[in-house]
Amino acid sequence: MSENKANNNFFSKIPARVSIKKTYESYIDILEEIMVAIRLKLTNNLKLSSQPTYKSRIKSFNSYYKKVLRQHPEEAATSNSLVCLTDMMGIRIICTFLEDIEIVLAQIKEMFDIYEIEVKGAQQSFKEFGYESVHVLVKIPEDCVPENLPEDKKLPDELVCEIQIRTILQDAWAEVEHELIYKTEFTPFDMPLRRKLASMNASLSLADIIFQEIRDYQKNLQSEMTMRRRSFYEKADELTINEKSERKNELFEKINPYVQGTIDELLLQAIKAHNAGDLDNAILIYTKIIESKPAPNNIVLSVIHKHRGMAHFSKNDYENALVDFRLSFEYDNKSFRSIYYEGIVYSIQKQYEKAVECFTKSLEINEYQSHTFYRRALAYYELQEYENSMNDTIAAQKLGLEEPGLEALHSKLIEKFDMNM
């Protein structure tokens, strides 16, 4: 082979930057339109308790060209069509909590055809630095492809969109790491800095785990507290409106409390015992928390007294329930539920004037309580203040309360007004 022929073969394998750039830039608008459509599909369909943040980008030509030279030099040199990379279009979904990543991934699987799922950083040892991130390559959906594409701009079958799923902290780390590491060259002399980076990454990873643990605790506690309030209202309805409680004949399993641990652990344990009908142990744990003087501010004490009052109420110990509800309100004069619960006890004791006073105070703090309007309407009715009762009944209806007893009260009030006409 002559030297000229060898040179010609060599130069024919070199990708022509100008030609590649021209081809790539001719697709930019199309890629942008596709990416916007996919992002819109995600924002319209992803369901999370906390709204994620979205970032998106089309790979710049300089980055694209460098990667083409590394990964597909021969294809770029010989083809006149678009050379596809997996990260030409990138959409990043930034979630609040670690649990959100799995939720988002499951929903993406429902929305798109998946080519590949990769968990970046999952194989790194604790001594290594790097970020964790879930990368999903999805096929371009037909409803995201622009209509009436020119024949010479037909999309390659291998074209995909990369969707990255990260937490806020993972994203922050990735952004900083990209600037510090991938845009520079580390040398063996950089080991002290590597250790510092590894330490920072470990701290951020730990923070993500702690945030998730707090989130799990809050969800668990909220679930128990919701059940606790529902049971309380059922009993109150049974006693004041003569509605049978569905839980009345439920068999409860006794809980043996350890009466130790952090305030958070004790509170969750107390509410679980409370929900299981183990009222004596629940009161014991609530009392343990109160005696520990849990906080310099009084919010915690207000919450504990409120729940201990609910436990006393469930035992029909109305006097101690009233003491706790009053103390709860004294510790936090914004606790509209505490004063509302006090009003419920007075209603059961047929002390309707005191009940109205409590319900009114509760509504002064939060005027959008449909149940409080309803219960004050009942108290007004017993006091034969029918006009006030009707006003509160209408307010409860306007706020969307769907309660059979509310409709019955409304009918009785109409009858009263008709009789007086």
Side-chain angles (χ1 to χ4, degrees), residues 101-159:
I101 293 176
E102 286 299 322
I103 295 172
V104 169
L105 180 58
Q107 294 183 45
I108 288 175
K109 288 178 180 178
E110 292 292 326
M111 276 186 265
F112 300 96
D113 290 333
I114 307 297
Y115 275 128
E116 182 182 321
I117 298 173
E118 181 182 6
V119 181
K120 301 275 188 178
Q123 305 303 318
Q124 291 172 323
S125 75
F126 72 93
K127 295 180 181 179
E128 295 177 300
F129 55 83
Y131 67 90
E132 290 190 13
S133 179
V134 176
H135 291 211
V136 187
L137 301 183
V138 302
K139 183 179 179 181
I140 309 303
E142 290 185 7
D143 58 355
C144 293
V145 177
E147 296 181 357
N148 303 319
L149 282 178
E151 188 63 32
D152 63 338
K153 290 295 179 289
K154 185 178 178 181
L155 297 178
D157 292 336
E158 62 270 25
L159 183 65

Side-chain angles (χ1 to χ4, degrees), residues 225-243:
M225 290 178 73
T226 299
M227 190 185 303
R228 174 85 310 275
R229 280 197 291 270
R230 187 188 308 123
S231 177
F232 178 85
Y233 293 145
E234 285 174 356
K235 183 174 177 64
D237 287 341
E238 183 182 351
L239 293 171
T240 59
I241 317 173
N242 297 319
E243 292 183 356

